[in-house]
Structures are given as structure tokens and as C-alpha cells.
């Protein structure tokens, strides 16, 4: 039987947080531990996914067995919860390099949407609600994914109420409305479903996590070396709320318009 799951399964994860305010509704965007952006990304695999999943699990087991790695606190912490899994934010540089090299060997492509955390937009467009912010980001990620094939299964990393099925369906509905606004006479894929996973239970989400982190490093710190290294895998990044001087809905692809250190955002947007 042909392994064709990769033809209609996609894997979604995020980077950053959806925090805008601290105690007393004081804006804290860009302060210690609070991101300036929220990024939602999706990986498409162009080869059978089960062998990739097995290879990732094998890499995880090797990390746990490797005396160079298995005393590192972040590795110990995850291992004690069941088993080690790759997570870019917490992995040490040596492990990141190993997993980046592995991703290079996988035939896949990645797209992401970046939401700059702008308070006025958050209050007006998303009613000051994290879930609505997430759903709107999801709609932008999905709005051009309806016509290429008859079925899609969207495997999503769990994120509290934001990934509750009703909120994911809300994002999907918004995506359809956006699509029909541009293509009123077209038919679209109706067989779209969600499967929400705890991050550590679906190894393929690690690839989405790492590539989201790569994009995040540019927007948060202006650091481009990880992005430059993984550029062949990152087909499109959409900066939804870019400054007026740069134009809204900026699209960055890996051929003609890549991201640069100039995409770093300022600490606080009102």
C-alpha cells in the first residue's frame, strides 16, 4: 500500500507568545520573556512521513543515550517527563545544529505568517482576545490552501484554548471567507480536518517548531544566520502587519525577496 499521507497531512506549530499586557493591563510587549511577534507556521512534506517520524525518534533516543548531551538540564527535564524531544528554544546550540542538519536531509517546505503584536490592532481586530488573534493568524496561513487537492489534515501543536476545535474551525471559516472574497466563483476543498497533538507526542512537529524559531530570530533579534542556513526549506513568510513604510502584508520568499536583519521589529507597538 502506497504511503501517501504526506500528500494531504500538514504540520503546524508556533513561535513566540500572544501576551500583550501584564498586571493592571500594562503593555509588556518585548520585555523579558515576552515576544514582540507571534508566528504560526506549517510544514508540507514531499516524501513519506512515517520514515521521517522514525528517524526523529531515533535521533531523540541517541540524544538520551549520549553522555555529551544527557546531563544537560533541558535534556534531563524533557527526558524525565517521558522522553527527550527536540525543541528549538530550549535546545543547546550543538543539538540545534544536529537537528538543522537533519531537516536539510528532509524533502519539505515551510510557510509562516508573522503577526507583529500591535495593541491597537489586537483590541480592534481581535477584541483583545488571544484566541481571536490565533484564529485570524490561522486564517491567513490557510486562505490559499483550498484548491490544490481534495483533502487536508492539519496536525496542530496544542496551545490551550487557541487550539480548541471551535477556535480552529473559526480560523478555517475566516480563511474560506478570505478565499471567496478573492475567488467568488471557485470551488474549494471541503474535506479539511484538524488533529491537535501534545507537542511531545508528534515528532514531526519538531520540524515546524525549528523553522518557526528560525523566522522568529529575525523578527525578534535581527539574527539571520539560522534563516540563511535553512532558506531552501522556507518557501514563504508573510509579515501581516508590517509598517506602512514597508507596506502591509509583505511577502518574503526564498528566491527573490528573502528576510534580512531589517525585519527586526521595535520592542513595543501601540
Amino acid at each position: 500500500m502506497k504511503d501517501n499521507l504526506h500528500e494531504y497531512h500538514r504540520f503546524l506549530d508556533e513561535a513566540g507568545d500572544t501576551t500583550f499586557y501584564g498586571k493592571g493591563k500594562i503593555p509588556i510587549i518585548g520585555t523579558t520573556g515576552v515576544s514582540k511577534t507571534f508566528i504560526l507556521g506549517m510544514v508540507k512534506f514531499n516524501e513519506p512521513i512515517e520514515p521521517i517520524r522514525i528517524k526523529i525518534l531515533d535521533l531523540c533516543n541517541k540524544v538520551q543515550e549520549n553522555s555529551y548531551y544527557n546531563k544537560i538540564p533541558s535534556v534531563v527535564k524533557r527526558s524525565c517527563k517521558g522522553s527527550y524531544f527536540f525543541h528549538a528554544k530550549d535546545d543547546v546550540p550543538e543539538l540545534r545544529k544536529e537537528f538543522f542538519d537533519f531537516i536539510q536531509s528532509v524533502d519539505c517546505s515551510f510557510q509562516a505568517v508573522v503577526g507583529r503584536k500591535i495593541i491597537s490592532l489586537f483590541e480592534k481586530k481581535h477584541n483583545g482576545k488571544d484566541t481571536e488573534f490565533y484564529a485570524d493568524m490561522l486564517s491567513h496561513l490557510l486562505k490559499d490552501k483550498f484548491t490544490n487537492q481534495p483533502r487536508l489534515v492539519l496536525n496542530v501543536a496544542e496551545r490551550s484554548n487557541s487550539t480548541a476545535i471551535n477556535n480552529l474551525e473559526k480560523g478555517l471559516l475566516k480563511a474560506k471567507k478570505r478565499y471567496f472574497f478573492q475567488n467568488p466563483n471557485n470551488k474549494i476543498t471541503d474535506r479539511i480536518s484538524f488533529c491537535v497533538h501534545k507537542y511531545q507526542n508528534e515528532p514531526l512537529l519538531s520540524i515546524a517548531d525549528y523553522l518557526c524559531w528560525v523566522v522568529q530570530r529575525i523578527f525578534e533579534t535581527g539574527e539571520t544566520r539560522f534563516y540563511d542556513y535553512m532558506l531552501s526549506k522556507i518557501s514563504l513568510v508573510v509579515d501581516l502587519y508590517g509598517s506602512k513604510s514597508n507596506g502591509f502584508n509583505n511577502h518574503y520568499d526564498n528566491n527573490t525577496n528573502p528576510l534580512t536583519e531589517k525585519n527586526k521589529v521595535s520592542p513595543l507597538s501601540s
Side-chain angles (χ1 to χ4, degrees):
M1 183 177 179
K2 182 183 176 182
D3 179 1
N4 67 339
L5 293 177
H6 64 284
E7 295 178 0
Y8 58 90
H9 277 256
R10 305 290 184 268
F11 295 83
L12 289 74
D13 201 2
E14 80 280 333
D17 56 70
T18 54
T19 300
F20 283 73
Y21 301 110
K23 189 175 181 180
K25 208 172 182 180
I26 297 173
I28 57 172
I29 299 167
T31 61
T32 302
V34 181
S35 67
K36 294 174 281 188
T37 60
F38 180 69
I39 297 167
L40 190 61
M42 178 167 63
V43 173
K44 176 182 183 295
F45 293 100
N46 303 312
E47 61 178 291
I49 58 177
E50 187 56 29
I52 304 172
R53 185 181 285 120
I54 291 171
K55 288 176 182 178
I56 294 174
L57 289 172
D58 184 53
L59 285 173
C60 291
N61 289 332
K62 288 180 178 178
V63 169
Q64 290 187 126
E65 295 169 0
N66 189 319
S67 59
Y68 186 80
Y69 292 133
N70 61 19
K71 300 298 190 299
I72 297 171
S74 61
V75 174
V76 172
K77 182 178 180 180
R78 273 171 268 167
S79 299
C80 288
K81 290 183 177 180
S83 61
Y84 170 78
F85 54 89
F86 287 94
H87 195 252
K89 180 175 72 70
D90 300 317
D91 283 336
V92 296
E94 298 98 318
L95 282 173
R96 284 198 200 112
K97 180 60 166 60
E98 285 203 26
F99 201 62
F100 280 138
D101 288 346
F102 171 74
I103 296 173
Q104 291 280 22
S105 74
V106 176
D107 188 358
C108 66
S109 62
F110 175 80
Q111 294 186 358
V113 291
V114 179
R116 296 168 183 249
K117 289 159 67 172
I118 302 170
I119 291 173
S120 58
L121 282 176
F122 181 61
E123 295 295 342
K124 182 177 181 179
K125 188 177 180 66
H126 308 122
N127 298 308
K129 295 181 179 179
D130 295 4
T131 52
E132 292 192 25
F133 184 31
Y134 185 101
D136 193 47
M137 295 274 291
L138 179 63
S139 74
H140 283 283
L141 189 62
L142 300 180
K143 65 183 181 182
D144 62 347
K145 304 297 187 296
F146 294 114
T147 59
N148 293 331
Q149 61 180 75
R151 182 185 179 192
L152 278 177
V153 177
L154 303 172
N155 298 274
V156 183
E158 185 179 58
R159 185 184 177 87
S160 63
N161 293 335
S162 291
T163 54
I165 292 299
N166 65 328
N167 200 55
L168 296 174
E169 293 288 353
K170 183 185 295 184
L172 179 60
L173 179 60
K174 292 184 75 170
K176 289 181 178 180
K177 288 180 178 178
R178 293 183 191 280
Y179 177 79
F180 278 129
F181 182 77
Q182 297 291 332
N183 308 275
N185 299 317
N186 286 9
K187 293 183 179 181
I188 65 171
T189 300
D190 286 326
R191 295 178 64 197
I192 298 176
S193 59
F194 294 96
C195 188
V196 180
H197 304 272
K198 290 186 180 299
Y199 180 83
Q200 60 269 33
N201 294 341
E202 175 46 84
L204 294 171
L205 289 172
S206 295
I207 294 180
D209 166 75
Y210 260 64
L211 294 175
C212 280
W213 183 85
V214 163
V215 173
Q216 182 193 33
R217 295 297 294 177
I218 293 182
F219 284 89
E220 297 290 325
T221 70
E223 186 175 22
T224 63
R225 67 188 182 100
F226 303 108
Y227 173 79
D228 293 341
Y229 187 56
M230 302 306 298
L231 187 58
S232 65
K233 304 299 180 183
I234 303 172
S235 60
L236 180 67
V237 176
V238 180
D239 180 4
L240 294 175
Y241 313 129
S243 67
K244 290 184 179 180
S245 62
N246 293 326
F248 283 89
N249 291 297
N250 286 327
H251 289 58
Y252 298 89
D253 63 58
N254 58 7
N255 291 318
T256 61
N257 187 31
L259 295 166
T260 71
E261 65 276 1
K262 293 180 181 179
N263 292 100
K264 179 183 176 181
V265 302
S266 58
L268 181 63
S269 299
S270 60

